[in-house]
Amino acid sequence: MKVFCGRANPTTGSVEWLEEDEHYDYHQEIARSSYADMLHDKDRNIKYYQGIRAAVNRVKDRGQKALVLDIGTGTGLLSMMAVTAGADYCYAIEVFKPMADAAVKIVEKNGFSDKIKIINKHSTEVTMGPDGDMPCRANILITELFDTELIGEGALPSYEHAHRHLVQENCEAVPHRATVYAQLVESRRMWSWNKLFPIPVHTSCGEQVIVPPLELERCPGAPSVYDIQLNQVSSADFTVLSDVLPMFSVDFSKQVSSSAACHSRQFEPVASGRAQVVLSWWDIEMDPEGKIKCSMAPFWAHSDPEELQWRDHWMQCVYFLPQEEPVVQGSSIYLVAHHDDYCVWYSLQRTSPEKDRRVYPARPVCDCQAHLLWNRPRFGEINDQDRTDQYIQALRTVLKPDSVCLCVSDGSLLSLLAHHLGAEQVFTVESSAASYRLMKKIFKANHLEDKINIIEKRPELLTSADLEGKKISLLLGEPFFTTSLLPWHNLYFWYVRTAVDQHLGPGAVVMPQTASLHAVVVEFRDLWRIRSPCGDCEGFDVHIMDDMIKRALDFRESKEAEPHPLWEYPCRCLSEPQQILTFDFRQPVPPHLIHAEGSIELRRPGRSHGAVLWMEYHLTPDNTVNTGLLKSVEDKGDCCWNPHCKQAVYFFTMADPRAPLGGPQTVSYTVDFHPHTGDITMDFSLSDTLDDGQ
């Protein structure tokens, strides 16, 4: 059956109704899931298997039947491990129906249907009794309900309910315990992901400084954790202010509470500095003795850095303190970890929280609008002075004393730059209430509320009255729009330029003047794992899961490239960067297809995992803002990516991304820009060019 789905087109700005398969959302969920990454996480799988064997043996040694409750079974892997370890029966719960259906097939294919029952429900809906889903309580609880923050997927409420209703008192639990760790650091780079820094602008009248509103400086920020691959952050980017501190533990074998709580640790700073950021991670112990441990620690805090397991489904956390605070080496202070049922946050206290009995707020809430509008990379982008200087340099070449400017980008500071550099009049358009309120605050903080005209409206709907009857001589965009996911979604600027064509005066300048789409073929160190078939996992056949993911990826939207911040994912360029398409913003969007086809020659040996694509915006003929590769590719092919932007990755279909290739290769491509929909469709094909006799 087909259904109509509405979606906001991020490129054209229009709402479209598309005919989709009734299981469309399921396919999207599966295609973009972390199931493959988890199955490739050998450290996780081995440690779970060891912990499950030990738990089953402890129950058997007590002369009891081993009855297992597996919450969030996914493929059924952990239940199959339990039966193989000697469990008498497993009740495996999976709320996501397509996954539950797959688990039934995987369990049957591996010959465990008589010992494993798949229950397609949320664990809180499972019934107990002779006619229920489970006839009696289980004595072994196995779960994998964790995210990078540990509790962000609802682990605490699920455990709380399971202990009350589904498992025996003092049951065995795998994992047995989790511990959350924290380390206090000072980091200008990471702090730039959370606050707006003063921005100097050198003008003919001297230096002007764009200052942040007081509300933004005082705002505690957004409650959401920033999860990243912390191992890719250079040690030069932060100063350690504390040792690694164990903040709190959860014993999963006992009754768990999801109530809000706080846990404090007194410590003496190991260096003086400004406390800004808390780096955090956790480990899980699979057994009561803590001998079987799976750790998310970054390399400098890991017990065995040489055996560090790469994974993307569990990373490390960056938390921002409500305000930066000075700390003095050797002067005792308290770090406090707060959590509710789904969220963790941190604060610093000068005295013991237990002694002063302070009342702690539920969780930080942004009241300045900036953390609602700008994500962490966007904060970093706005605070990038080198990038700002590029726009300043370009503006100096196009601005005239009588310039009337219209700025079109979400929550952009371009309008302030244009004003300070001498534009006669500046209009800026904000399409959302949040961005409108934020920009009003920024203008007021800089005493520009009467000098820059801000319009709350979708730019396509601008009227001559909005522009006070004036014609625009300079149309500006970064471009940046909060709805953009893929690099080319910011081509929305081109559609806006087309819509406001009637408001442009004779000889009007558009900046950026043009844009171009670029591509390079890469070999990933690790990221290939998230799209690689698993086949066999710890002796269990999971080909059905591989096939399920492949079918999901065959859906239209799943075939597209997907966004990844590649500064977190090391890779090597196997080819030279190549320009694929160009877009001329000086002209309206053309009515016809923009088509490109060609080939990319691979100049370095390696495994071709995919093509990376990005946009470059040519502000002027001599000034380009690059959202992808920042440096020329070196001999070894090492890549340096723009850390503020996500690049698009088009993964090649390969039976085994780890297998060596037979010889030099060529990648053929076809890329089309569809002006009516704003979509960019692409196809890449990999062909071997083998030497004679190979």
Side-chain angles (χ1 to χ4, degrees):
M1 186 178 78
K2 298 289 186 179
V3 295
F4 281 99
C5 298
R7 75 163 187 172
N9 187 309
T11 310
T12 65
S14 62
V15 176
E16 301 171 344
W17 288 92
L18 305 173
E19 189 180 55
E20 302 287 4
D21 184 276
E22 63 179 320
H23 301 304
Y24 171 75
D25 286 344
Y26 287 166
H27 286 287
Q28 294 307 297
E29 180 75 17
I30 295 164
R32 299 291 182 252
S33 70
S34 297
Y35 291 120
D37 181 32
M38 288 187 283
L39 293 174
H40 281 292
D41 188 342
K42 194 163 186 66
D43 178 61
R44 163 194 177 270
N45 299 337
I46 289 174
K47 300 294 175 56
Y48 260 101
Y49 211 165
Q50 291 174 343
I52 288 169
R53 286 195 192 99
V56 170
N57 288 339
R58 288 194 298 273
V59 170
K60 293 285 190 177
D61 288 346
R62 295 196 291 265
Q64 301 174 355
K65 283 189 173 184
L67 302 178
V68 174
L69 173 63
D70 176 7
I71 301 179
T73 193
T75 60
L77 176 66
L78 301 185
S79 286
M80 292 190 293
M81 288 179 175
V83 172
T84 304
D88 294 280
Y89 203 82
C90 293
Y91 301 93
I93 301 171
E94 176 55 52
V95 69
F96 185 41
K97 189 176 189 308
M99 198 67 248
D101 293 341
V104 170
K105 296 175 183 176
I106 291 170
V107 165
E108 181 180 5
K109 186 178 180 75
N110 285 274
F112 296 110
S113 294
D114 60 331
K115 291 289 187 76
I116 299 174
K117 178 182 180 181
I118 305 296
I119 303 171
N120 180 209
K121 289 183 176 181
H122 193 282
S123 63
T124 58
E125 299 171 345
V126 171
T127 57
M128 186 72 60
D131 299 321
D133 299 309
M134 297 172 60
C136 62
R137 290 176 177 250
N139 53 13
I140 300 177
L141 175 59
I142 300 174
T143 61
E144 208 280 52
L145 300 171
F146 314 118
D147 65 350
T148 294
E149 200 173 17
L150 184 69
I151 66 172
E153 291 184 359
L156 295 182
S158 295
Y159 271 110
E160 185 174 45
H161 176 271
H163 277 286
R164 287 178 177 172
H165 302 285
L166 303 178
V167 297
Q168 298 175 17
E169 188 176 358
N170 297 319
C171 69
E172 300 290 341
V174 182
H176 181 84
R177 181 186 302 106
T179 301
V180 172
Y181 300 87
Q183 189 167 33
L184 190 67
V185 303
E186 175 180 355
S187 172
R188 179 178 174 81
R189 180 186 178 189
M190 287 187 256
W191 195 237
S192 77
W193 300 338
N194 184 57
K195 297 291 185 181
L196 178 62
F197 295 169
I199 300 171
V201 183
H202 297 282
T203 73
S204 58
C205 300
E207 184 179 87
Q208 302 287 333
V209 179
I210 300 173
V211 298
L214 193 58
E215 299 99 308
L216 202 160
E217 290 187 327
R218 292 176 175 173
C219 180
S224 57
V225 63
Y226 189 24
D227 52 341
I228 65 171
Q229 294 283 356
L230 200 52
N231 289 316
Q232 298 309 313
V233 177
S234 169
S235 58
D237 283 332
F238 62 92
T239 300
V240 169
L241 300 179
S242 78
D243 293 324
V244 175
L245 306 172
M247 295 306 299
F248 64 92
S249 295
V250 183
D251 186 336
F252 298 125
S253 69
K254 300 177 181 178
Q255 181 62 57
V256 172
S257 173
S258 63
S259 300
C262 71
H263 311 267
S264 65
R265 288 291 178 269
Q266 186 178 17
F267 71 99
E268 293 184 358
V270 297
S272 298
R274 301 197 66 80
Q276 299 167 325
V277 172
V278 175
L279 308 179
S280 183
W281 56 89
W282 48 265
D283 63 30
I284 44 178
E285 297 172 357
M286 300 297 183
D287 61 324
E289 297 78 25
K291 296 179 180 179
I292 309 169
K293 183 179 292 188
C294 187
S295 174
M296 306 309 120
F299 68 87
W300 67 84
H302 203 280
S303 59
D304 190 359
E306 296 300 319
E307 296 297 322
L308 198 66
Q309 169 75 52
W310 183 89
R311 47 174 68 93
D312 206 43
H313 58 106
W314 295 331
M315 294 185 278
Q316 293 82 35
C317 302
V318 175
Y319 295 96
F320 303 95
L321 293 176
Q323 301 296 327
E324 61 179 1
E325 298 188 35
V327 296
V328 178
Q329 181 177 0
S331 182
S332 183
I333 197 171
Y334 293 84
L335 181 63
V336 186
H338 313 258
H339 73 80
D340 53 21
D341 48 353
Y342 283 89
C343 189
V344 178
W345 63 99
Y346 286 86
S347 66
L348 276 182
Q349 306 291 344
R350 300 291 172 182
T351 57
S352 170
E354 287 77 14
K355 288 183 178 179
D356 62 21
R357 298 182 180 180
R358 293 177 58 180
V359 177
Y360 298 101
R363 65 171 75 172
V365 176
C366 171
D367 54 16
C368 75
Q369 307 298 318
H371 301 92
L372 305 178
L373 181 68
W374 298 334
N375 60 20
R376 303 304 185 185
R378 177 60 173 168
F379 265 100
E381 186 172 61
I382 291 175
N383 284 320
D384 186 337
Q385 189 63 45
D386 291 339
R387 179 179 181 273
T388 298
D389 289 342
Q390 281 189 273
Y391 285 96
I392 292 173
Q393 182 181 352
L395 280 168
R396 285 198 181 108
T397 66
V398 298
L399 271 175
K400 298 178 181 178
D402 60 350
S403 290
V404 177
C405 301
L406 174 61
C407 301
V408 182
S409 282
D410 290 344
S412 172
L413 303 185
L414 273 183
S415 57
L416 290 87
L417 299 182
H419 170 80
H420 285 313
L421 293 170
E424 180 179 277
Q425 189 164 7
V426 180
F427 297 92
T428 186
V429 183
E430 299 295 342
S431 57
S432 74
S435 59
Y436 177 81
R437 288 194 293 267
L438 173 61
M439 296 311 296
K440 291 280 282 188
K441 291 176 182 178
I442 292 175
F443 294 161
K444 184 176 181 181
N446 289 275
H447 310 291
L448 297 175
E449 63 267 41
D450 298 327
K451 297 178 181 178
I452 298 177
N453 301 71
I454 182 169
I455 305 164
E456 185 183 0
K457 182 179 283 190
R458 290 195 62 83
E460 305 97 315
L461 304 178
L462 280 175
T463 65
S464 180
D466 293 324
L467 302 173
E468 300 176 0
K470 296 186 177 180
K471 290 294 186 180
I472 300 302
S473 58
L474 179 57
L475 177 63
L476 299 174
E478 298 188 29
F480 170 84
F481 302 99
T482 56
T483 53
S484 297
L485 298 175
L486 292 165
W488 47 86
H489 286 166
N490 283 320
L491 287 174
Y492 174 53
F493 176 75
W494 202 8
Y495 288 83
V496 171
R497 178 259 177 270
T498 303
V500 303
D501 189 63
Q502 60 182 314
H503 303 302
L504 302 182
V509 173
V510 179
M511 193 185 95
Q513 296 180 0
T514 61
S516 51
L517 177 68
H518 297 251
V520 69
V521 177
V522 302
E523 175 186 44
F524 287 110
R525 186 202 299 172
D526 298 297
L527 190 61
W528 59 267
R529 300 172 194 272
I530 70 171
R531 291 291 167 264
S532 174
C534 187
D536 178 277
C537 184
E538 302 308 316
F540 302 100
D541 186 343
V542 294
H543 279 94
I544 290 170
M545 185 67 215
D546 294 337
D547 295 340
M548 183 179 178
I549 293 175
K550 185 177 183 303
R551 286 194 303 273
L553 288 168
D554 284 340
F555 264 61
R556 171 187 57 79
E557 203 162 279
S558 303
K559 288 181 181 178
E560 296 178 353
E562 53 192 75
H564 291 282
L566 290 188
W567 73 268
E568 296 184 53
Y569 303 101
C571 59
R572 292 175 55 246
C573 292
L574 303 185
S575 72
E576 297 303 310
Q578 190 159 318
Q579 182 172 302
I580 305 294
L581 290 176
T582 59
F583 313 92
D584 190 349
F585 296 159
R586 293 167 296 186
Q587 303 297 326
V589 176
H592 53 80
L593 183 83
I594 300 179
H595 172 80
E597 60 181 88
S599 60
I600 303 174
E601 181 182 350
L602 305 192
R603 298 180 178 273
R604 299 173 186 85
R607 304 174 183 91
S608 302
H609 291 142
V612 177
L613 301 100
W614 68 93
M615 296 291 291
E616 295 186 8
Y617 296 101
H618 311 289
L619 307 182
T620 65
D622 302 320
N623 199 322
T624 296
V625 172
N626 189 333
T627 69
L629 271 178
L630 295 183
K631 298 178 181 178
S632 299
V633 179
E634 300 175 354
D635 291 342
K636 294 182 180 179
D638 294 337
C639 305
C640 178
W641 299 101
N642 186 321
H644 311 311
C645 305
K646 289 185 178 181
Q647 293 74 37
V649 180
Y650 185 103
F651 286 100
F652 299 153
T653 301
M654 299 182 67
D656 185 357
R658 293 161 292 188
L661 300 174
Q665 293 180 303
T666 297
V667 175
S668 300
Y669 64 84
T670 301
V671 179
D672 293 311
F673 172 70
H674 304 267
H676 294 296
T677 63
D679 290 335
I680 288 183
T681 56
M682 62 191 68
D683 183 61
F684 290 84
S685 58
L686 192 64
S687 59
D688 290 344
T689 308
L690 300 180
D691 296 334
D692 292 341
Q694 284 191 305

